[in-house]
Amino acid sequence: MLGDRLTSFRFIWFIDFEFTPVRGGRPKPICMVAREWRSGREIRLWRDELRTLRKPPFSTGCETLIVAYAASAELTCFLALGWSLPENVLDLFVEYRARSNLLSAQKRPPASLLAALRAYTL
């Protein structure tokens, strides 16, 4: 089960970028917020601060799990910034769709983050 596997990670970072999409190219990151689950440490960086970093301001190796909703967007921001991709990623969009796709098309909720939060009363 996932709960058992979470204990194997030293760090669990929830991340979110805001960005400007670029047609046919990588996005232009505007800002990033990251929060480590256990410690509560929070990092908030704006575009000019992000551009100065050669790597993420948190570990992304085997001891770390990166959590995001629609993680492909966050990962394209990693690439746009020239950062290496994290070793472990949990995409909550994929997990939510895996569950909601079991419902009939008429009962299936939208795939948005707000719909996912509502589904779990968060």
Side-chain angles (χ1 to χ4, degrees), residues 13 28 33 58-59 73 79 84 91-92 103 111 113 116-117:
W13 283 97
K28 292 184 179 181
V33 175
F58 42 79
S59 69
L79 295 173
S84 297
D91 188 337
L92 297 178
L103 302 172
L113 174 58
L117 291 168

Side-chain angles (χ1 to χ4, degrees), residues 62-108:
C62 63
E63 77 282 1
T64 301
L65 176 65
I66 300 297
V67 181
Y69 194 85
S72 59
E74 275 57 49
L75 297 178
T76 58
C77 287
F78 270 61
L79 295 173
L81 293 164
W83 297 352
S84 297
L85 294 175
E87 288 188 34
N88 302 291
V89 177
L90 173 60
D91 188 337
L92 297 178
F93 170 79
V94 172
E95 298 299 326
Y96 177 63
R97 290 306 291 183
R99 285 185 162 229
S100 64
N101 282 346
L102 297 174
L103 302 172
S104 68
Q106 296 84 6
K107 293 182 181 181
R108 191 173 304 136

Side-chain angles (χ1 to χ4, degrees), residues 10-84:
R10 185 171 174 204
F11 303 105
I12 300 175
W13 283 97
F14 292 85
I15 66 167
D16 186 44
F17 280 86
E18 296 302 323
F19 57 88
T20 303
V22 175
R23 188 179 195 137
R26 292 187 175 149
K28 292 184 179 181
I30 296 170
C31 63
M32 182 204 72
V33 175
R35 183 178 196 123
E36 204 283 316
W37 183 35
R38 292 187 183 97
S39 69
R41 179 177 172 221
E42 190 171 275
I43 300 169
R44 294 174 175 262
L45 298 170
W46 287 96
R47 180 184 328 216
D48 56 335
E49 297 167 305
L50 288 167
R51 288 182 186 161
T52 66
L53 300 176
R54 296 182 148 269
K55 62 181 186 170
F58 42 79
S59 69
T60 58
C62 63
E63 77 282 1
T64 301
L65 176 65
I66 300 297
V67 181
Y69 194 85
S72 59
E74 275 57 49
L75 297 178
T76 58
C77 287
F78 270 61
L79 295 173
L81 293 164
W83 297 352
S84 297

